[in-house]
Amino acid sequence: MSATWDQTQAIPESGLYPEFLKQESKQVKLNPEHIDRFKIYKAIAIAAMLIIISGIYFYRSDFGKLFQAKVNYEQAITTNQRKQIQLPDGTRVWLSPNSKLDYPAQFKESERQVSLTGEAFFEVTHDARHPFTIKSGRLSTTVLGTSFNVMAYTQQHTINVTLVTGKVALALIGQNNTQRDTIVANQRVIVDKTTSRIIKEDFPQAAAFLDKRLGLYEYGGAALQEVVSDLSNQYNIKIKLDTGISEKNFYGHLNMSDPIEQSLNKLCTVMEMKWEKQGGLYVILK
């Protein structure tokens, strides 16, 4: 714009004055004040262009991104039902009942990060340049592309991470240090939130979580206390066991998508027991 302005002659066009006027009146004299006015207009135009360019740069800068980040996160919440969602990178998540997942509308940073409360099964889309991290309290689970289950209910004193395929790195952040460990397929980690202790163990039945993500639980001799714990988490209810039966073994399968009464009837039929509801509490009796 500046170069074009400098090449423009500051004289009027011809033919703007009638012929009957005197020759002297046709002449236009540019005094210094008039020239200075052109320079002022030129400076204003350049300044305006600089302001526009600066505004565009400011909007596209990292500072401008701070305003966009306010509406960047979405939330998936379940009550007594299951929910399957797909994240922006193609990762699929099966969210169990009474669970919550926070995730960005778009993964823009170097790391794909979500936050989980409750239980979910993840099938993570592989991306070596952008690790996928699940935050569950003080525990971080990081992968590149794999399938695994995370159980991190607030009311439980443990967090379980079970790996079906791939490899997972875990980091438990403490007050004075950070504990790190890795697991491979058919292994799981149990984190004690009270003592900050990490227990890693082999778990050959990890593939069972492929059915569990759909609500289908298969038990091959599990202690009744474990079965009741699963029922409590899946249905968000409180169940009390009669004395002396918590270690009895249960063989069978339960569909956690069925009504709670139907699941309790099936459990008690196999175990030759009975159940009753006392206010908001379910009690299993001998």
Side-chain angles (χ1 to χ4, degrees):
M1 291 177 63
S2 176
T4 302
W5 193 281
D6 291 337
Q7 295 174 7
T8 303
Q9 296 182 358
I11 58 175
E13 297 180 2
S14 60
L16 298 179
Y17 293 88
E19 293 296 332
F20 58 82
L21 291 180
K22 294 181 179 181
Q23 186 67 24
E24 295 83 8
S25 63
K26 297 181 182 180
Q27 298 177 357
V28 178
K29 296 181 179 180
L30 298 177
N31 55 42
E33 294 182 358
H34 191 67
I35 296 175
D36 290 342
R37 189 177 303 168
F38 279 112
K39 291 182 178 180
I40 293 173
Y41 292 157
K42 172 183 175 182
I44 292 174
I46 295 174
M49 180 61 68
L50 291 175
I51 291 174
I52 293 174
I53 294 174
S54 299
I56 295 174
Y57 175 80
F58 174 83
Y59 178 77
R60 301 181 70 175
S61 67
D62 291 337
F63 187 77
K65 291 180 181 179
L66 293 176
F67 298 97
Q68 300 176 8
K70 292 182 179 179
V71 293
N72 195 34
Y73 274 81
E74 298 185 6
Q75 200 173 74
I77 302 176
T78 62
T79 52
N80 58 348
Q81 294 181 341
R82 300 176 184 280
K83 181 180 292 187
Q84 182 180 348
I85 58 177
Q86 183 165 308
L87 302 185
D89 65 335
T91 293
R92 294 195 295 171
V93 182
W94 286 261
L95 204 59
S96 294
N98 310 301
S99 302
K100 181 178 73 172
L101 183 72
D102 293 302
Y103 61 96
Q106 292 293 330
F107 291 113
K108 296 181 179 180
E109 305 300 330
S110 59
E111 184 179 62
R112 299 172 288 169
Q113 182 171 303
V114 300
S115 178
L116 172 68
T117 301
E119 183 178 7
F121 185 91
F122 294 85
E123 280 188 359
V124 178
T125 299
H126 182 80
D127 187 346
R129 295 182 301 173
H130 302 90
F132 190 95
T133 299
I134 301 100
K135 296 284 188 180
S136 304
R138 293 187 292 116
L139 180 69
S140 296
T141 306
T142 303
V143 301
L144 297 178
T146 185
S147 57
F148 58 99
N149 191 84
V150 178
M151 184 185 295
Y153 287 99
T154 305
Q155 66 273 22
Q156 290 188 332
H157 70 276
T158 61
I159 299 175
N160 295 350
V161 179
T162 307
L163 187 59
V164 179
T165 62
K167 186 177 182 180
V168 165
L170 303 107
L172 180 64
I173 302 174
Q175 293 183 349
N176 301 320
N177 66 334
T178 299
Q179 301 181 59
R180 302 182 186 277
D181 209 333
T182 59
I183 57 175
V184 296
N186 295 320
Q187 286 186 330
R188 74 173 175 181
V189 159
I190 302 173
V191 178
D192 192 315
K193 293 187 287 186
T194 304
T195 63
S196 296
R197 183 185 177 194
I198 296 180
I199 302 174
K200 182 170 69 173
E201 61 185 17
D202 292 332
F203 197 74
Q205 60 270 40
F209 280 96
L210 296 173
D211 290 331
K212 284 186 177 182
R213 64 182 175 175
L214 306 176
L216 305 176
Y217 282 62
E218 184 75 28
Y219 298 97
L224 187 57
Q225 183 62 58
E226 178 184 340
V227 179
V228 166
S229 179
D230 288 338
L231 289 169
S232 298
N233 290 330
Q234 297 300 308
Y235 290 99
N236 194 26
I237 59 174
K238 293 183 179 180
I239 302 176
K240 180 181 178 181
L241 291 174
D242 203 351
T243 57
I245 63 174
S246 61
E247 296 302 319
K248 288 185 175 295
N249 303 111
F250 173 66
Y251 294 85
H253 66 274
L254 297 173
N255 188 343
M256 301 295 184
S257 299
D258 292 336
I260 178 58
E261 294 81 7
Q262 185 173 334
S263 294
L264 286 174
N265 286 338
K266 186 171 185 178
L267 174 65
C268 290
T269 298
V270 175
M271 300 294 294
E272 298 181 345
M273 298 176 183
K274 60 182 179 180
W275 69 273
E276 61 182 34
K277 189 175 182 180
Q278 300 176 1
L281 180 67
Y282 291 85
V283 182
I284 297 179
L285 305 169
K286 296 179 183 178

